[in-house]
Amino acid sequence: MSDLVVTRWGARFMGRAFACAIGRGGITDAKREGDGATPRGTHRIAGLLYRPDRVAASQLPDWAQAFGPSDLWSDDPRDPDYNQMVRAPHAFSHERLMRADPLYDVILLTDWNWPEAIPGRGSAIFLHSWRRPRHPTAGCVAFARRDLLWIANRITPQTRLVVK
């Protein structure tokens, strides 16, 4: 089994080292919604989403799923669908997956606080493209786009994300 191991200094996967960015709040054992921290622990990769107008399906494994303009991610602890993909219109606070910037063009979903979310324990902990090298995230793990695509194409159902 090949784990994707992330520390504050970078990531390792399948014998390669990658620069990455973590949450502006560092790595935490006590993740809370809005704290900007990346949750420490061993997580499963739960899915792969992509934006089909910017990324060709042929660049990704066949289990990747396209998302569209109505797809959102709930980040409101009051929402019964907290930390789930939802569709617009949506009355609760949410993140739009189709962003103007390229950060969410490819998203590896993690099982942090999912599928049975505990309200307030954190949502939308994704692996995605970074804004610029090592620029902190809101709690996700971010990579250069080429590295994210390389990783996405080598993830298996047994791959774990280990945040130390």
Side-chain angles (χ1 to χ4, degrees):
M1 174 178 1
S2 188
D3 293 337
L4 172 58
V5 179
V6 172
T7 69
R8 61 186 176 132
W9 300 285
R12 294 183 320 278
F13 182 57
M14 297 187 77
R16 291 182 60 178
F18 299 94
C20 69
I22 60 169
R24 67 182 178 278
I27 295 173
T28 185
D29 292 313
K31 176 72 183 146
R32 292 283 166 236
E33 187 69 42
D35 66 2
T38 301
R40 182 184 323 274
T42 301
H43 316 292
R44 193 173 55 80
I45 303 300
L48 172 57
L49 303 176
Y50 71 99
R51 185 170 167 165
D53 61 325
R54 293 188 179 169
V55 179
S58 61
Q59 292 182 273
L60 297 165
D62 59 7
W63 54 277
Q65 295 182 293
F67 64 84
S70 296
D71 292 316
L72 316 168
W73 199 272
S74 173
D75 61 6
D76 190 333
R78 299 169 299 145
D79 187 349
D81 292 318
Y82 175 62
N83 199 28
Q84 302 284 330
M85 191 158 88
V86 294
R87 302 212 24 114
H90 192 70
F92 293 91
S93 174
H94 56 269
E95 284 191 66
R96 186 165 297 282
L97 295 180
M98 244 186 185
R99 297 170 54 118
D101 63 30
L103 269 62
Y104 285 1
D105 288 358
V106 175
I107 305 168
L108 282 162
L109 307 173
T110 73
D111 69 347
W112 173 256
N113 200 25
W114 179 92
E116 301 298 323
I118 297 169
R121 192 145 183 246
S123 63
I125 302 300
F126 302 150
L127 280 66
H128 62 74
S129 295
W130 60 24
R131 188 173 310 279
R132 59 185 180 274
R134 299 194 187 270
H135 183 79
T137 70
C140 297
V141 180
F143 296 89
R145 183 182 181 117
R146 73 181 176 283
D147 293 340
L148 182 64
L149 287 168
W150 191 91
I151 291 166
N153 277 287
R154 288 157 180 84
I155 294 285
T156 70
Q158 293 76 37
T159 301
R160 302 178 309 171
L161 169 66
V162 179
V163 180
K164 295 183 172 187

